Amino acid sequence: MKKISKLLLIAISILSISIMLAGCGLLTADDITGEYVSIKNGQEQETPNKHYYLMTVEKDSSFQNQPAVKMRFSIQRYSEPLGKYYYDNLDCYFNPKTGQFFESDSKNKLTISEKKELVLNDKQFKRISSNTLDPSETNYLIDYVFRDLIKIPKYKELADKQSDDLSRDTLPLGEIIYY
């Protein structure tokens, strides 16, 4: 009886230790999805009509032949003249084994800090809620806003004042769109 009790105790101990250590400290995609706010010098920076979201696009995906979760970091802005939200999206891949984002060739780099905050290039974001958007809602992009705004005479004049050698984001109209 003592031998059975001892074996049972050992088996339970091994099982409980393996459960505790499996995934210890790793973030999951569900842990990081939600609404974020920009952080500057330790303070939350809120801009009216501008919101940040991290959402899951595809749970069972792959990146560089490894299992991954396809995610989208979206900056949501509101266009007063058009009366609708528009989005600036960064699609990325989350590694469920490491709890970090895969390195990509994109000029934008999304990482997770030690404080479990998102870092896009050098800008920090803190999760404020688990609210998120459906990825299909984020398809009205900045290029569409530019296209639709120049159909309005007031904004067409702003666009016409541009020099051909300037990019859209440096134009007066770009300042309206990229706030």
Side-chain angles (χ1 to χ4, degrees), residues 32-135:
I32 60 174
T33 58
E35 184 176 3
Y36 284 79
V37 65
S38 157
I39 302 291
K40 187 173 184 179
N41 298 326
Q43 300 292 321
E44 293 183 7
Q45 304 290 309
E46 292 194 38
T47 305
N49 294 321
K50 187 175 185 181
H51 303 276
Y52 305 94
Y53 295 96
L54 182 66
M55 64 207 82
T56 300
V57 176
E58 188 179 338
K59 285 191 181 245
D60 295 320
S61 186
S62 65
F63 184 76
Q64 298 175 345
N65 295 323
Q66 295 183 42
V69 177
K70 184 175 182 181
M71 301 190 83
R72 176 173 292 159
F73 184 75
S74 283
I75 301 171
Q76 179 191 56
R77 297 178 179 97
Y78 186 75
S79 172
E80 293 274 339
L82 298 174
K84 59 171 80 173
Y85 287 101
Y86 59 98
Y87 302 89
D88 191 2
N89 297 328
L90 170 64
D91 285 349
C92 51
Y93 291 88
F94 181 77
N95 186 335
K97 290 181 180 178
T98 65
Q100 292 287 326
F101 290 96
F102 283 100
E103 291 287 327
S104 69
D105 297 334
S106 170
K107 65 180 179 176
N108 295 311
K109 182 180 178 185
L110 193 62
T111 58
I112 301 172
S113 73
E114 290 178 11
K115 296 179 185 178
K116 298 182 182 176
E117 296 173 342
L118 288 183
V119 180
L120 177 60
N121 302 326
D122 294 325
K123 193 170 182 178
Q124 290 185 307
F125 298 91
K126 176 182 165 187
R127 185 174 183 230
I128 57 173
S129 78
S130 59
N131 297 339
T132 189
L133 302 172
D134 185 314

Side-chain angles (χ1 to χ4, degrees), residues 112-162:
I112 301 172
S113 73
E114 290 178 11
K115 296 179 185 178
K116 298 182 182 176
E117 296 173 342
L118 288 183
V119 180
L120 177 60
N121 302 326
D122 294 325
K123 193 170 182 178
Q124 290 185 307
F125 298 91
K126 176 182 165 187
R127 185 174 183 230
I128 57 173
S129 78
S130 59
N131 297 339
T132 189
L133 302 172
D134 185 314
S136 66
E137 295 177 25
T138 63
N139 293 330
Y140 189 69
L141 304 174
I142 286 177
D143 288 340
Y144 304 146
V145 173
F146 186 83
R147 177 198 66 202
D148 293 344
L149 277 178
I150 62 173
K151 293 176 184 176
I152 301 171
K154 173 183 173 182
Y155 298 102
K156 179 151 177 45
E157 287 178 27
L158 281 175
D160 289 343
K161 289 181 183 178
Q162 79 180 35

